[in-house]
Amino acid sequence: MVCLANRVFLVNINKMQKNRKQKILVIGSTGKVGYEIVQKALNEGYSVRCLIRTKNIPVKASISRSNKIEFIYGDLTRPETLTRCVSGITAIIDASTVRFEENVEFIDWYSKIALLEAAKLAGVEHFIFFSKTHAKKYSMMPMMKFKSQFEEVLQNSGVNYTIFQIPNVFQKFIPEFLRCTVDEQVINIYKKFRHISSMDARDIATFSIKSLQIKEAQNQTFILGQPQNCNLIDIIQKCASWHEKERQAISRQWEIEGLTLIGQFLTWIRLFQNATQLLAYLDIVYESWEQSDINFANLESIFSIKSDQLININKYFTEYLSDDFMIEILEDYMRF
């Protein structure tokens, strides 16, 4: 047993040394998924470079104290800043998301093309990109159209790639529900009893970092998700229970059929073009989850991650929400 333990220890040391020779550029490192990717990469022994837009962006202390991390100024809205960011990088993990006030076409199309070209010139070996399931189906929405188009460009770029089509992230939408239950606000949800595709950011990070280590994951597209059925009303009730609410959280159901008809009508009115895109976005977020979209057998075969190892809703509530980090967010919210 001792010999076996020593052998495992030596394997892990060798793995860490090998990973240390690789340097990853993480874009979107201040976001929910990006933060978990940075943490996972550091734990695996990688050197990490984080692209940040400004020195004023808060960075968690657990990341900023690491001596294996480098912060570098770069801005997707300024492609000329990207060349220096990719110099000496072996892999790029793009976890960036466009902000509502930004130009979607510039951020999700022109900037991504500029980033890919800079990566090719710098000899980057692997490019990991996050997209959405059924992006082509919802091409009426610019964000989805550009994600779908960039998938094709990346696949034909000659750079080794891995594309992950990711679902709704627990850490993004559940805290919003929690804030509403704290403030006793009405939660407007969309087709509340439909199953939705969702996943923990930590699991997305695990798949991302593993794809750097597995040759079979190169030049492949994977749909991610966790196998537990969940619907919005169940999640809202869990939020209410977590806050020890005696009464159920209030919710208002919007019917998909009615929204679809409104969306079709508004497409003819130029003034409400943005509203149409908002309706399309709601349709994407709360689209019925088809488990058949996710090939769990393939994911397990390539990544050696079984579906029952993924963090489900219950585990998220019992583990993640007990962290001081989440409680601090809620306390800050209550002060205002």
Side-chain angles (χ1 to χ4, degrees), residues 99-312:
R99 299 171 182 172
F100 284 107
E101 70 273 12
E102 294 175 331
N103 184 307
V104 178
E105 183 174 14
F106 194 89
I107 295 296
D108 273 346
W109 180 242
Y110 293 116
S111 296
K112 302 290 184 182
I113 296 296
L115 176 63
L116 180 57
E117 289 302 315
K120 290 166 68 175
L121 291 174
V124 173
E125 300 170 6
H126 199 163
F127 194 116
I128 298 175
F129 176 66
F130 293 121
S131 186
K132 297 290 288 186
T133 311
H134 306 307
K136 285 186 178 181
K137 177 181 177 181
Y138 293 101
S139 60
M140 80 288 291
M141 185 177 178
M143 179 184 71
M144 301 298 281
K145 178 179 73 172
F146 297 132
K147 283 188 180 297
S148 175
Q149 290 179 350
F150 187 72
E151 282 189 43
E152 295 181 6
V153 170
L154 182 57
Q155 289 166 348
N156 295 298
S157 66
V159 177
N160 290 324
Y161 68 87
T162 303
I163 297 171
F164 290 108
Q165 296 179 348
I166 62 174
N168 303 297
V169 179
F170 293 160
Q171 286 84 348
K172 287 186 177 180
F173 72 93
I174 291 180
E176 293 303 318
F177 287 171
L178 284 168
R179 290 186 178 97
C180 288
T181 56
V182 167
D183 206 27
E184 297 185 0
Q185 294 180 350
V186 172
I187 301 174
N188 292 306
I189 60 176
Y190 182 50
K191 205 67 176 180
K192 61 183 178 181
F193 293 113
R194 303 181 81 185
H195 292 148
I196 65 168
S197 177
S198 55
M199 198 171 192
D200 193 287
R202 291 168 289 181
D203 284 332
I204 296 174
T206 298
F207 278 102
S208 302
I209 298 304
K210 280 209 166 207
S211 69
L212 297 173
Q213 305 162 358
I214 302 170
K215 188 175 181 180
E216 291 77 13
Q218 292 185 6
N219 303 322
Q220 298 289 331
T221 299
F222 301 98
I223 301 175
L224 297 183
Q226 54 94 25
Q228 182 191 38
N229 288 333
C230 61
N231 57 59
L232 291 175
I233 198 66
D234 287 341
I235 295 172
I236 291 172
Q237 295 307 328
K238 285 182 182 294
C239 291
S241 298
W242 192 76
H243 286 292
E244 300 179 348
K245 296 287 186 181
E246 294 182 358
R247 60 184 180 80
Q248 293 183 340
I250 303 170
S251 64
R252 180 184 298 127
Q253 179 179 359
W254 293 351
E255 292 293 337
I256 183 174
E257 292 81 10
L259 282 179
T260 302
L261 291 175
I262 293 173
Q264 291 173 350
F265 173 73
L266 291 179
T267 54
W268 298 95
I269 306 177
R270 183 176 181 84
L271 181 62
F272 293 97
Q273 185 175 6
N274 289 335
T276 305
Q277 294 172 5
L278 175 60
L279 295 177
Y281 176 74
L282 291 171
D283 201 7
I284 295 163
V285 172
Y286 300 120
E287 184 186 16
S288 181
W289 178 36
E290 299 293 339
Q291 284 194 359
S292 58
D293 287 339
I294 306 172
N295 190 337
F296 289 108
N298 187 46
L299 291 174
E300 179 179 344
S301 173
I302 293 177
F303 295 95
S304 299
I305 300 174
K306 296 182 179 180
S307 58
D308 58 6
Q309 294 177 307
L310 301 177
I311 301 168
N312 58 32

Side-chain angles (χ1 to χ4, degrees), residues 55-69:
K55 295 180 181 180
N56 296 326
I57 294 178
V59 180
K60 291 188 179 180
S62 58
I63 286 181
S64 60
R65 284 198 299 262
S66 174
N67 59 7
K68 292 186 296 183
I69 192 167

